[in-house]
Amino acid sequence: MILLNNAEVELQKEYMNKVKELNTKKLKYYILTMGCQLNENDSEKLCGMLEEMNYEKTEDINLADFIIMNTCCVRENAEEKLFGKLGEYKKIKEKNNAIIAIGGCMMQEKHIIEKLNKSYPYVDIIFGTHTLHKLPEDIYKILNKQKKVQDILDIDGEVFEGLPIKRNDDKKASVTIMYGCNNFCTYCIVPYVRGRERSRKPEDILKEIKQLADEGYKEITLLGQNVNSYNGGIVNGKEYNFANLLRDVNDIDGIEIIRFVSPHPKDFKADVIQAIKGCKKVSRILHLPLQSGSTAVLKKMNRKYTKEQFIELAEKIKKEIPEVVFSTDIIVGFPEETEEDFEDTLDVVRKVNFEQIFMFIYSRRVGTPADRMENQIPEEIKHERFDRLKALFEQQIEENNKKYIGTVQTVLIEGKSKNNENTLTARTSTNKVVILDGDESLIGKLVDVKIVSQHVWFLKGRIQK
Ligand code: SAH
Ligand code: SF4
Ligand code: F3S
């Protein structure tokens, strides 16, 4: 279902103007973003609104007149981080009379709000995932001497178009195509804090990407918690599912690389594979989140595929598109995970030979079914399994890297290398970092390089003449 509420966006634009009038001189804001790329993209919108209201970004919190934190709650360390930071923010508030705003996923959790209200009364603005666009109104109220603004909605938010945006990069851009998640994997908090799936209209997405191409952007990442369940409805007789959206994005001149995160294996249908095959700009590293290699654990996780189905899917994609490599997410220590279950995970890792693995230790999330399961795995076993998975993966990276040596790769030059000003850093279509010698005029360009050596976390290349 697609919902739009332009009147609300217009209203917030009026508030932006009002705040701008109140902020007669340039003020500074400091932003901290936790969590996934969707949150990063939300933060770009928060920055866009703040800059419309006469705030400019600072990396030095000591100079901040406005402090904003966009939170994540997918794993518990994020909570420690939030409460740790708030003490620091209080000192800045006392010194600079700064406004403190906290938003994002963690604010959708009742126990967090209770704790904030009880122990951190100096936080000025609290907003949730469905009320991000109301930041201008919230700031206006605080500037008009309202003591505290708490703006959280439990119902699903609407899809808003036309908010200003200040992007972090001038070559690579993220474009959110759908919000929310319907999958309710039993370990995961996201469906509770982000609500049900809502897709943006294809014409709005395509318009945004065309504009990015005109501005010189080369790489686009399409974002959603479950991108391949994108449902943009029917426009001019054409059904806008994920496969068709991908094809239209591929046709946009100027865009050279298309990535997307995260697809769900259960929705990786034949038409999506065919679309990727036919769309040469789509990156040849595909994210295929495994979570566990044990069919029994996958069932308890509510992932809706078995170990065999996952392996078959990877093989099927590889058969259609031989140059594809995979990245994945794996959770170790899910409740009731046995040694045999964990061995199954290692087995899939050996068979699929992932290029990149994001590994997580299972973290209990209040309100999720897995948190209520009885046989939680002791911390030391979780850590021991994590280390074994990591060791296997590191062994595989070196082997995989060796396959690149001697090949010619088309890479996007991203900038100067962080460790050595005289070298450039680039990425292959499969997301490998390549370090090479070259002139800085090449930044932002696609260049053919020959890979000469591998160094575990990066490859070295030489420009092909
Ligand atoms: N929608 C995406 C992922 C969102 S969260 C997907 O399905 O792939 C990103 C990753 O965090 C997940 O893939 C999972 O591996 C991990 N994760 C989510 N909840 C977790 C939890 N409770 N404990 C540990 N890891 C978790
Ligand atoms: Fe969480 Fe599963 Fe939804 Fe991903 S698909 S956000 S892991 S519930
Ligand atoms: Fe975290 Fe919210 Fe993303 S919980 S992972 S920031 S959707």
Side-chain angles (χ1 to χ4, degrees), residues 39 69-72 102-108 127-129 194:
N39 244 23
M69 191 185 212
N70 193 7
T71 62
C72 165
I102 310 180
C105 295
M106 215 189 286
M107 300 304 114
Q108 297 291 137
F127 60 95
T129 53
R194 287 267 174 180

Side-chain angles (χ1 to χ4, degrees), residues 281-297:
K281 296 176 183 173
V282 173
S283 160
R284 266 31 187 164
I285 186 164
L286 296 181
H287 191 61
L288 212 53
L290 171 66
Q291 312 301 0
S292 167
S294 152
T295 297
V297 173

Side-chain angles (χ1 to χ4, degrees), residues 181 183-185 187-188 190-191 225 264 291 303:
C181 179
N183 292 324
F184 289 94
C185 302
Y187 50 80
C188 186
V190 170
Q225 288 300 354
H264 193 299
Q291 312 301 0
R303 290 291 292 178

Side-chain angles (χ1 to χ4, degrees), residues 4-15:
L4 265 185
N5 191 343
N6 286 324
E8 179 62 36
V9 173
E10 288 311 310
L11 179 67
Q12 293 308 319
K13 284 186 178 159
E14 280 173 30
Y15 277 113

Side-chain angles (χ1 to χ4, degrees), residues 74-75 187 225 262 289 291 329 331 360-363 365:
V74 82
R75 286 171 292 275
Y187 50 80
Q225 288 300 354
S262 244
Q291 312 301 0
D329 288 359
I331 298 176
F360 306 105
I361 290 178
Y362 169 70
S363 170
R365 303 288 71 207

Side-chain angles (χ1 to χ4, degrees), residues 127-144:
F127 60 95
T129 53
H130 306 302
T131 44
L132 165 141
H133 61 282
K134 285 173 76 182
L135 184 70
E137 183 176 342
D138 297 341
I139 299 180
Y140 181 76
K141 286 179 182 165
I142 292 294
L143 293 177
N144 275 293

